[in-house]
Amino acid sequence: MFLSATTRSIAALIVPAGFTIGLLAAQQPATRPSSFTSAQAEAGRAAYDANCSACHLRDLKGSNEAAQLAGPNFLNQWGDKTIAELHTYLMASMPPTSPGAPGSQTMIDIVAYLLQANGASAGSQPLARDAASTLRAVVAAAGQSQTPAPQRPGAAAATPAQAPAPAARRGLTVSGQVKNFVPVTDQMLRTPDPGDWLMFRGNYKGWSYSPLKEITTQNVSDLELAWVWAMAEGGANQSHPLVHNGILFLLNPNNIVQAIDALTGNLIWEQRAGPEQRAGYGGLRSFSISQDKILFAASDARMVALDARTGRLLWETRVGDPAQGHFATSGSIAINGKVLQGLSGCARFNGQGCWISAVDIATGKLAWKFNVIAQEGTPGGDTWGTLPNMFRAGGETWIAGSYDPELNLTYWGTAQAKPWVPASRGLTVRDKVLYTGSTLALNPDTGKLVWYFQHAPAESLDLDEVFERVLVDIGDQKVVFSAGKAGILWKLDRRTGQYLAHKETVFQNVWERVDPKTGTPEYRSDIMEMRIGAWIASCPSTEGGKNWQAMSYNPEAGVVVLPLSQSCMEISARKVEFKEGSGGTAADRRFFEMPGSDGNVGKLAAYDVRTLQEVWSHEQRASYLTGVLSTAGGVAFVGDLDRSFRAHDVRTGKVLWQARLGTSVQGFPISFSAGGHQYIAVTTGLGGGSPRNVPETISPEIEYPSTGQALYVFRLRDKK
C-alpha cells in the first residue's frame, strides 16, 4: 500500500492527513512549473529502490495493493495535486511500517524520481518540498514531444522478486543427509501418521487439527520452550513447517528451505533456491512433501523440487511470467503424483488471465492449467460484459486448496476481479465476472471444472473469498466450509456446490441480503451505484473479517474456530486507462474501527458445524496473525500482533496458557511428535498486506520489533 489514504477514526475521514497543507500550497501563485536536477532524480531512484520497490516494483508498475507510480493511472490520481501535497502525504504515510523514515530530503528526491519516470525533464534547480506546482504541470512542461525518461536497465524484465538486495549465496549452502528417509506415498498423504505434519493445514481436508493428545486442557499450562530457530529476515514470513519421521522441513522467506532435526533443532541441510523475496507483501505460505521430494512454489512463480534427503535441486518449472508481474504466495498441495499451485500478480491488463497449475512430480513437466478468468467465447465468458480478454484481470488463487480423495475433487478459492471497483474496470455489479470470488471444485488429474459457487458476484470492495476450504462430514452430508473478507462463514455441499447455509461472524454492511435458497448475496444500493472518485463506507475493511489466517475444525468439539478481524473503511475508485500493461487495484482506502467492537480488532470465535451458531468468542485489541491449530487434547492455539501465543479451551474459549515471543506471531502453528512427545511449533514474522497495515492505522500503540522472524518449538516440561 503506497498512495492510498488512511485514517484512525470516522471523524478523521473528512480529509487525508496533510491535505490542508497541500491546499494552502496549491493556492500560492506559481509563475513557472517546478523542476528538479538530474542528480536529485538519481538519488531518488536509489532511495526508491531501497524503500519502495519491494511493493511497487522496480518498473513502478505496482502489484496488489501497491499502486502504479508511472503512467496515466498515476497522473489521473495525483496529477492535479501539488508537489507539496505529495511530499506531505509520503512523509505521513510511507512506508506503511515506518512512515517518514527515509527523511524529508530523501522523500523529495523520490518525488523527483517519480516525476522523471512520468516524463518530466530535469532542470538546473532542485525540487523544493513546498513547491506549489502540480505534478501534471511539471510533466507537461517537458513538452508533448518530449521523449520520456529513459527506462532503467532491466526494467522490462522487472519482477516482484527483484527488490535490490546484497548479493546472496545460492544453491545448497549447507550439506547433509536425512538418514533412513522413508518416501511419502499417496496413501500416507491420505491418512497421515498422527505424529507427522505432511501438508498445509495438516491433512487434505484442511482441518488445521492434530490428533495428538498428550497436551490437554489440564496440562497445557506446563508448556515450555524446547528450542528456537532464527529464520531469514527481509521477506514476509507467513509459513509453517512440515514434519516427517522426526525431521522438520522449514520454508523461510527468500526461497530458503532447511531440514532440521525436530528433536534437537540441529540443522541438517539448507537450500537457497533464490531469488530474494520482495519484502512488502505475501509470504511463502505453504509447501509440500511427496515421494522423495520437497515441493515449493517459489516467489517468482516457479515450482521447485528438492531431494528431501539432501536438499539437492532436482527440477524447477516456470508456471507464471514474472515480466507480467506474476508471483506466488499460495504454496502447494500434492495430489495423485502432481503438485498444484496458484498464481498471484494477475492485476495487469495483458489478456492472459490467471490460473491454477499442476506439475508432474516425477518429471517436472506442466500437466494442466485452469484459467480462473472466463475468456470470450467460453462458459462464463459473457459475465465480463463486452470487455475483450485484454482487460479481464484478477482472480488470483493465493491460498492452496484442499482435496477430497473419495470424490477426487480439489477445492480452491479465488480472489476478486481487478481493478477492485466495477466502475474502474468498465463494468457494473450486474457483470458477475466469473470465476472470481468463488469456490471452484476441480478434477486434480485433468484440471476440469466440476462445479463452482460464486460467493461474491461482481465483487466491488477488495473482499476476497480466496481462503482455505475446510471439508467436514456431518452424518451423510459432505460439506465444504469457507469464509472470506466479508466475514461470512459459508456452508456448501461439496459434491454439487449447492448452498446450504451461512453465518455472519462480524458486523458487515456490504451485503444487504443473502438469498435463503440460492445463497446469492445482494449489495446495498449505494455500492451498486459506485462511481469514480466517490467515497463509500463499508464494513469489514480490506483487512477482512476473515483473511489468510486459517480456521481449524475440531471434530471432538464439533466446531470450527476462526481468527477474525474487526475494522471498517471508506473506499474510492480511481479512473483506469484501458491499454495493455495498465490495470491494477485502482482504489484509495481510509480505515477506522468497527462499530460495536469497543476497539477490539481481534476476534477468535467458534461455530457449531451443524447449526452455525456461535459457541463462544474472545475479543482483544491486537489482531490475530496466525491460523488456528486445534488438537484432540481440546486445545486451540493462536498468535497475534502483540507477540502473544495463546492456548484456548476449544469448547469454551478460556485462555489456558500464553507466551510472549520475540516479535509478532504470524504463520500457521503445527503439532508433531518426536522422541515420544508432542510438540507445538509456531513462527514469528513480519510483512504482509492489509492484515498488517490496517492495525498499524487503527491500533498504532501496539509496538513490536522490526526483526525477529523465527520458529519457536514448545513441549511439556519434564515432571521430576
Side-chain angles (χ1 to χ4, degrees):
M1 188 175 73
F2 188 89
L3 300 177
S4 59
T6 59
T7 187
R8 293 178 183 170
S9 67
I10 297 176
L13 287 173
I14 300 171
V15 291
F19 192 72
T20 302
I21 295 174
L23 283 177
L24 292 175
Q27 292 168 358
Q28 299 171 6
T31 57
R32 55 182 297 179
S34 302
S35 186
F36 54 88
T37 65
S38 295
Q40 188 177 28
E42 188 58 33
R45 171 183 290 187
Y48 173 88
D49 282 350
N51 295 281
C52 313
S53 64
C55 295
H56 297 271
L57 310 188
R58 298 191 74 196
D59 61 7
L60 291 85
K61 290 185 177 179
S63 180
N64 276 6
E65 298 177 23
Q68 296 178 358
L69 302 181
N73 292 335
F74 174 72
L75 290 177
N76 284 341
Q77 181 66 18
W78 283 92
D80 296 325
K81 300 291 194 301
T82 67
I83 302 299
E85 285 182 272
L86 178 54
H87 176 264
T88 299
Y89 173 79
L90 295 180
M91 287 299 296
S93 307
M94 294 295 135
T97 55
S98 185
S104 182
Q105 183 56 52
T106 297
M107 205 68 89
I108 198 63
D109 292 344
I110 291 174
V111 173
Y113 171 54
L114 296 182
L115 290 169
Q116 184 186 66
N118 280 277
S121 55
S124 59
Q125 297 295 318
L127 190 64
R129 282 165 271 186
D130 60 352
S133 300
T134 66
L135 275 70
R136 197 182 309 279
V138 177
V139 171
Q144 296 299 318
S145 60
Q146 170 80 25
T147 300
Q151 188 177 32
R152 61 191 302 157
T159 78
Q162 282 182 309
R169 294 176 296 163
R170 292 286 187 270
L172 194 63
T173 51
V174 176
S175 296
Q177 184 164 344
V178 175
K179 297 178 181 179
N180 304 315
F181 180 82
V182 177
V184 176
T185 65
D186 288 348
Q187 185 57 40
M188 287 178 176
L189 293 175
R190 292 189 181 99
T191 56
D193 184 289
D196 282 354
W197 195 272
L198 298 180
M199 66 188 72
F200 190 25
R201 304 187 297 267
N203 61 18
Y204 272 144
K205 294 181 178 180
W207 285 5
S208 297
Y209 163 84
S210 171
L212 298 176
K213 51 188 176 183
E214 178 188 1
I215 299 169
T216 69
T217 57
Q218 301 303 309
N219 63 20
V220 67
S221 60
D222 292 328
L223 277 184
E224 64 180 9
L225 186 66
W227 55 268
V228 62
W229 180 262
M231 297 176 68
E233 301 285 355
N237 195 24
Q238 300 172 352
S239 189
H240 66 91
L242 298 172
V243 180
H244 176 48
N245 283 353
I247 303 300
L248 184 147
F249 299 94
L250 186 61
L251 180 60
N252 287 248
N254 299 315
N255 302 289
I256 300 169
V257 182
Q258 297 160 328
I260 299 171
D261 186 306
L263 186 62
T264 66
N266 293 332
L267 182 66
I268 300 172
W269 58 252
E270 177 183 89
Q271 169 65 248
R272 294 178 175 249
E276 294 299 287
Q277 184 186 341
R278 57 191 294 225
Y281 279 87
L284 306 174
R285 294 189 177 91
S286 73
F287 63 138
S288 303
I289 184 170
S290 181
Q291 302 171 13
D292 58 351
K293 298 176 179 66
I294 299 295
L295 303 142
F296 76 97
S299 60
D300 61 343
R302 286 174 298 150
M303 177 57 68
V304 179
L306 307 178
D307 186 318
R309 296 179 179 87
T310 66
R312 181 172 59 91
L313 178 66
L314 298 176
W315 53 256
E316 50 188 345
T317 300
R318 179 71 63 192
V319 299
D321 183 0
Q324 295 290 340
H326 294 156
F327 61 102
T329 68
S330 71
S332 60
I333 180 172
I335 303 173
N336 299 340
K338 297 179 177 64
V339 58
L340 281 60
Q341 77 168 86
L343 188 65
S344 293
C346 303
R348 298 183 188 177
F349 293 155
N350 57 27
Q352 296 181 12
C354 203
W355 50 86
I356 301 167
S357 304
V359 176
D360 186 276
I361 293 174
T363 66
K365 293 182 178 179
L366 187 68
W368 54 257
K369 287 169 49 175
F370 175 81
N371 200 326
V372 304
I373 301 297
Q375 304 287 284
E376 295 175 273
T378 68
D382 58 352
T383 62
W384 289 80
T386 59
L387 281 182
N389 289 338
M390 176 59 67
F391 304 128
R392 303 182 181 199
E396 291 86 351
T397 46
W398 51 277
I399 297 289
S402 304
Y403 174 57
D404 184 334
E406 181 182 339
L407 298 178
N408 197 32
L409 293 177
T410 181
Y411 304 87
W412 292 67
T414 62
Q416 68 292 91
K418 305 296 188 307
W420 284 334
V421 180
S424 297
R425 54 185 184 248
L427 298 172
T428 73
V429 293
R430 290 182 292 276
D431 300 304
K432 295 182 178 180
V433 292
L434 289 172
Y435 294 95
T436 66
S438 300
T439 294
L440 306 180
L442 305 177
N443 181 308
D445 302 320
T446 64
K448 180 181 178 181
L449 178 66
V450 176
W451 60 256
Y452 75 90
F453 178 87
Q454 192 170 37
H455 305 271
E459 204 291 302
S460 306
L461 301 166
D462 182 29
L463 299 180
D464 295 44
E465 293 285 344
V466 72
F467 312 116
E468 74 279 0
R469 269 51 188 170
V470 178
L471 314 183
V472 178
D473 292 343
I474 305 173
D476 295 332
Q477 191 176 56
K478 292 185 176 296
V479 171
V480 52
F481 287 101
S482 67
K485 284 188 182 180
I488 292 179
L489 177 62
W490 297 93
K491 184 178 184 180
L492 306 177
D493 185 308
R494 71 174 186 267
R495 294 185 181 93
T496 64
Q498 178 186 356
Y499 164 80
L500 299 175
H502 74 278
K503 174 70 174 181
E504 296 184 11
T505 63
V506 297
F507 171 71
Q508 73 87 20
N509 60 10
V510 172
W511 303 112
E512 199 164 70
R513 67 182 295 269
V514 176
D515 187 291
K517 293 184 178 180
T518 66
T520 303
E522 296 179 8
Y523 279 116
R524 64 175 206 255
S525 59
D526 58 334
I527 295 175
M528 296 179 69
E529 298 167 1
M530 285 180 70
R531 305 183 313 278
I532 302 294
W535 289 96
I536 293 287
S538 68
C539 297
S541 77
T542 55
E543 178 186 20
K546 167 74 173 60
N547 208 295
W548 58 262
Q549 305 93 310
M551 72 179 86
S552 174
Y553 169 59
N554 187 274
E556 288 83 12
V559 298
V560 284
V561 185
L562 280 68
L564 303 165
S565 295
Q566 301 181 119
S567 64
C568 301
M569 69 176 178
E570 283 198 333
I571 187 169
S572 174
R574 299 177 187 168
K575 180 180 179 182
V576 173
E577 184 181 38
F578 282 80
K579 73 172 187 177
E580 186 174 1
S582 183
T585 53
D588 295 303
R589 292 158 300 161
R590 312 191 287 214
F591 304 109
F592 56 96
E593 292 177 357
M594 181 174 283
S597 67
D598 197 27
N600 291 312
V601 182
K603 178 181 178 180
L604 185 70
Y607 298 88
D608 186 289
V609 295
R610 294 180 180 273
T611 66
L612 296 190
Q613 293 302 302
E614 185 175 281
V615 177
W616 57 260
S617 70
H618 176 89
E619 298 189 20
Q620 61 178 44
R621 179 67 168 160
S623 57
Y624 291 104
L625 287 178
T626 73
V628 177
L629 166 72
S630 72
T631 72
V635 184
F637 294 91
V638 67
D640 66 31
L641 179 69
D642 200 26
R643 303 190 291 124
S644 291
F645 184 50
R646 294 189 180 89
H648 294 256
D649 187 312
V650 78
R651 295 183 183 274
T652 68
K654 180 182 178 181
V655 176
L656 304 172
W657 168 88
Q658 62 182 5
R660 203 87 184 278
L661 306 186
T663 191
S664 48
V665 192
Q666 179 166 278
F668 300 89
I670 73 162
S671 186
F672 63 89
S673 63
H677 292 287
Q678 181 181 0
Y679 289 77
I680 305 294
V682 68
T683 55
T684 51
L686 302 160
S690 288
R692 303 286 312 210
N693 296 334
V694 175
E696 289 284 347
T697 302
I698 62 178
S699 55
E701 77 282 0
I702 297 177
E703 301 283 354
Y704 49 84
S706 58
T707 59
Q709 302 196 144
L711 174 70
Y712 290 79
V713 180
F714 299 88
R715 57 158 287 184
L716 295 174
R717 67 173 60 96
D718 290 326
K719 298 292 185 181
K720 295 182 180 180

